[in-house]
Amino acid sequence: RQHNQPLPCVVGILAVLSPQCLWETNKLATQDILEQGTTSRQCYPDNITKAKRILQGESFETIAYHKRYGHKVRAFYDNILSPETSQAVTVDVHAIRAAFNVMDLTSRQIRWVFECGGNKILQEAYRRVAECYKTQPLVLQATVWLTVKQRLEEKT
């Protein structure tokens, strides 16, 4: 409302900027895009371009496909836009850390998830565990995300 933009536009910008972007930076970069039309914060340049396209009126759905991070970005968008009904699972780096029970991931572990089908396996695992706890997959994923984030902060 503050920037006179529809919610799907704001959430789309937040989602496309999110890969490998710290949460605080992600929020600030989104605000920059909404206020200034660009950002100098640490986000992938291609993702900044996508965010600008969304701000200019292009739909999230037409630009949210990227071979490596597309699933994560689309799930993140759905989780934020429709938190009451979303069944999408945002498999991000923290979810991968939790799956492998390590804080320092190898490129092989990341590739397995984003390029070799591990993403679908992790999504299904989150759905099954969430069902056991009678909660939504996004609630389970957010809980894991916060736990991993806290462990990372304690490590540094």
Side-chain angles (χ1 to χ4, degrees), residues 1-53:
R1 286 181 233 156
Q2 176 184 352
H3 299 289
N4 199 29
Q5 293 294 332
L7 187 59
C9 172
V10 176
V11 174
I13 291 169
L14 183 76
V16 298
L17 291 173
S18 68
Q20 296 294 297
C21 185
L22 296 172
W23 177 234
E24 289 304 319
T25 303
N26 192 183
K27 293 185 293 185
L28 292 169
T30 299
Q31 187 171 347
D32 290 348
I33 295 285
L34 292 167
E35 291 174 356
Q36 305 158 21
T38 192
T39 186
S40 59
R41 299 191 194 273
Q42 201 166 5
C43 302
Y44 288 127
D46 286 350
N47 294 344
I48 294 170
T49 300
K50 290 176 185 179
K52 290 176 182 180
R53 288 169 53 195

